[in-house]
Amino acid sequence: MRKLDLHWKILIGMVLGIIFGFIAAELNWNQFVINWIKPFGTVFINMLKMIAVPLIIVSLITGIAELKDISRISKMGGKTIFLYLVTTMFAVSVGLILANVIKPGNFIDEAARDQLMAQYTTDAGSKIQEAQMQKEQGPLQPIVDIVPDNFFSALTDNGKMLQVIFFSILIGIGLILIPEEKAKPVTSFFVGFNEVILKIIDITMLLAPIGVFALLSAILVEIPSFSVLQALLVYAFTVIAGLLILILIFYSSLVTFITKNSYFSFLRAIAPAQLVAFSTSSSAATLPVTMERVTEHLGVDEEVSSFVLPLGATINMDGTSLYQSVAAIFIAQAFGMNLDLPTQLMIIITATLASIGSAAVPSAGMVMLVIVLGQAGIPEAGLALIFAIDRPLDMCRTVVNITSDATVATIIAKTEGLLNNPKVKNWDDHYPTNNG
Ligand code: ASP
């Protein structure tokens, strides 16, 4: 009998996790789930996070060293950043249009608004404080933050991925610039190490169905009561509609027009990464899976994926930027504010930058939303309004974030002639190790 594909196994784990979570919440088994089920989810996320930094280092170093030519790096780098910016700005614009057409803020009556404000003001306060700390830094601080003063301390902090990327790129460039016979042993070491890391990802993915079961059931028992969520349904619908437009229309057109391959196969190939993104709400934790799927199943050459994907996980967040624009308009509408056109255009810029600045971890987008609100003159305390429903929306926007990374990686690979490496004949071919 043919074994089940990985994405089906994960999907089954998710569905069972949701069903079990609902039952557990009904029967008040919250403590049991938190003590006995959630830890398996935490182990799964930790395994993914554990592998993220070593993966970035080895794959970037081998990827760049194999380019053998500095000018190709700058060309690919320029193209990548351009595409990331264009997709993000498009996403924000979709969010703004939808929020202005649907006007989700008008659906929230005064009673619901007061209830949410009363219930979530303290939670919102801590996010506002976090954002305040970021705001107090100078305007060029993000650039300073990319350069570590100590590589080893950067290695110990998953939040410092851009620093790790920076250093790994330098090592890769160094390897290109030194004589080949000197570079060879170092490159061979990293090439071998890379294979080991990819194997560890395969092993980790065996845990995925159980991991997502545990994560989703824990989320369900910790989620606020449905009566609060009801008031926010139109807002949630607006965000999800925007995310669907990106996934079903925007990326699908890009992938089909540029690569001439079927978008359905593209989605099939990256489905496990999307499901892991949904369950973990973290692009950084999902990176190992995204990397494996894009390289082994979409046939994007490692030269491209090793550079484009880690960078994308940290700076390219279309889902987050779309959510930030909808949330900003929603909060403004709920407070009866009318935002004029220049303010809305300004939101395109601030939400783009805020999404770039958001860390690839759960609810980071919400912290940076505070900055968007501040710039547009919308009361930051309004964060309390969207708190209750943030986690489910975070799960959905993270799926879009990694789908966008995979789309851009595929486009770059195609335009550089680096799509379809010989290992992968077409997108439906599954790599033997993951075929069940
Ligand atoms: N959780 C998102 C990610 O990791 C970021 C966010 O929007 O909060 O991609």
Side-chain angles (χ1 to χ4, degrees):
M1 198 181 85
R2 193 169 171 267
K3 276 200 193 158
L4 265 184
D5 275 344
L6 182 65
H7 59 269
W8 287 117
K9 288 187 185 169
I10 301 180
L11 206 60
I12 292 171
M14 282 172 68
V15 172
L16 291 180
I18 292 174
I19 296 174
F20 179 75
F22 262 121
I23 298 175
E26 269 315 297
L27 300 178
N28 227 342
W29 290 350
N30 301 20
Q31 214 46 46
F32 170 79
V33 172
I34 289 167
N35 288 340
W36 293 97
I37 308 271
K38 191 178 174 186
F40 293 102
T42 312
V43 166
F44 174 60
I45 296 201
N46 284 356
M47 296 234 353
L48 289 171
K49 285 194 197 156
M50 167 186 88
I51 212 72
V53 167
L55 172 70
I56 292 178
I57 299 173
V58 293
S59 62
L60 256 181
I61 293 177
T62 46
I64 291 188
E66 275 163 14
L67 281 179
K68 297 198 173 65
D69 179 0
I70 304 279
S71 66
R72 281 185 68 187
I73 303 171
S74 51
K75 191 171 145 232
M76 206 161 78
K79 229 198 263 183
T80 306
I81 290 176
F82 172 77
L83 278 175
Y84 280 161
L85 274 179
V86 170
T87 54
T88 304
M89 290 176 97
F90 181 84
V92 183
S93 313
V94 171
L96 280 181
I97 293 172
L98 285 181
N100 280 296
V101 172
I102 302 176
K103 297 195 181 11
N106 296 355
F107 287 81
I108 189 152
D109 59 22
E110 224 165 288
R113 192 179 77 191
D114 294 346
Q115 189 198 348
L116 286 166
M117 290 297 284
Q119 215 164 331
Y120 291 99
T121 299
T122 342
D123 292 332
S126 70
K127 298 277 175 215
I128 294 172
Q129 241 172 16
E130 260 180 73
Q132 202 62 40
M133 271 155 51
Q134 305 224 14
K135 248 198 296 192
E136 274 161 17
Q137 300 166 334
L140 292 185
Q141 191 59 33
I143 297 180
V144 175
D145 284 344
I146 294 176
V147 186
D149 63 349
N150 182 326
F151 178 57
F152 292 97
S153 75
L155 285 184
T156 60
D157 185 347
N158 275 352
K160 295 196 171 144
M161 291 214 184
L162 276 182
Q163 299 193 345
V164 176
I165 292 175
F166 179 78
F167 189 71
S168 309
I169 291 178
L170 279 184
I171 298 189
I173 292 178
L175 282 171
I176 297 178
L177 295 178
I178 62 174
E180 213 178 322
E181 78 275 8
K182 294 248 167 60
K184 200 141 192 269
V186 184
T187 316
S188 311
F189 166 77
F190 281 114
V191 169
F193 200 9
N194 201 16
E195 292 291 316
V196 174
I197 303 259
L198 290 177
K199 239 331 135 220
I200 298 180
I201 297 171
D202 282 346
I203 297 170
T204 308
M205 287 311 282
L206 296 176
L207 271 183
I210 298 173
V212 297
F213 172 89
L215 288 170
L216 289 180
S217 47
I219 287 171
L220 278 169
V221 299
E222 286 172 339
I223 226 164
S225 74
F226 191 70
S227 65
V228 179
L229 297 187
Q230 237 167 357
L232 298 172
L233 281 186
V234 182
Y235 157 69
F237 165 80
T238 314
V239 175
I240 291 172
L243 298 177
L244 284 176
I245 290 179
L246 293 185
I247 292 229
L248 298 180
I249 302 177
F250 185 48
Y251 305 137
S252 94
S253 320
L254 287 177
V255 169
T256 348
F257 279 130
I258 298 178
T259 68
K260 309 272 184 291
N261 273 331
S262 130
Y263 185 63
F264 183 68
S265 321
F266 172 89
L267 285 182
R268 252 184 68 156
I270 62 162
Q274 291 177 318
L275 298 177
V276 170
F278 184 79
S279 314
T280 61
S281 285
S282 165
S283 311
T286 314
L287 180 63
V289 192
T290 320
M291 201 86 142
E292 198 261 354
R293 300 310 294 189
V294 167
T295 315
E296 306 293 353
H297 298 260
L298 286 182
V300 170
D301 199 285
E302 223 173 296
E303 277 178 29
V304 175
S305 60
S306 66
F307 172 74
V308 175
L309 292 176
L311 195 67
T314 24
I315 69 166
N316 181 46
M317 300 200 182
D318 296 1
T320 301
S321 66
L322 179 138
Y323 142 83
Q324 285 169 337
S325 62
V326 175
I329 305 287
F330 168 73
I331 294 173
Q333 288 166 347
F335 281 112
M337 291 172 68
N338 230 336
L339 299 182
D340 55 12
L341 192 64
T343 314
Q344 299 224 17
L345 291 180
M346 196 59 202
I347 291 181
I348 299 190
I349 299 173
T350 49
T352 301
L353 294 176
S355 71
I356 293 175
S358 302
V361 297
S363 85
M366 194 183 208
V367 174
M368 295 305 277
L369 170 63
V370 175
I371 293 175
V372 180
L373 297 178
Q375 282 283 341
I378 303 165
E380 289 150 0
L383 212 58
L385 292 180
I386 56 167
F387 221 94
I389 201 146
D390 199 62
R391 182 62 195 228
L393 294 183
D394 193 2
M395 296 158 78
C396 300
R397 64 190 189 242
T398 310
V399 172
V400 171
N401 290 347
I402 67 111
T403 306
S404 168
D405 298 341
T407 304
V408 171
T410 311
I411 294 175
I412 305 252
K414 178 72 184 178
T415 54
E416 294 282 317
L418 292 169
L419 189 61
N420 273 335
N421 73 33
K423 268 195 285 187
V424 183
K425 283 188 269 355
N426 71 57
W427 288 357
D428 290 322
D429 277 353
H430 285 245
Y431 211 44
T433 44
N434 272 326
N435 200 5

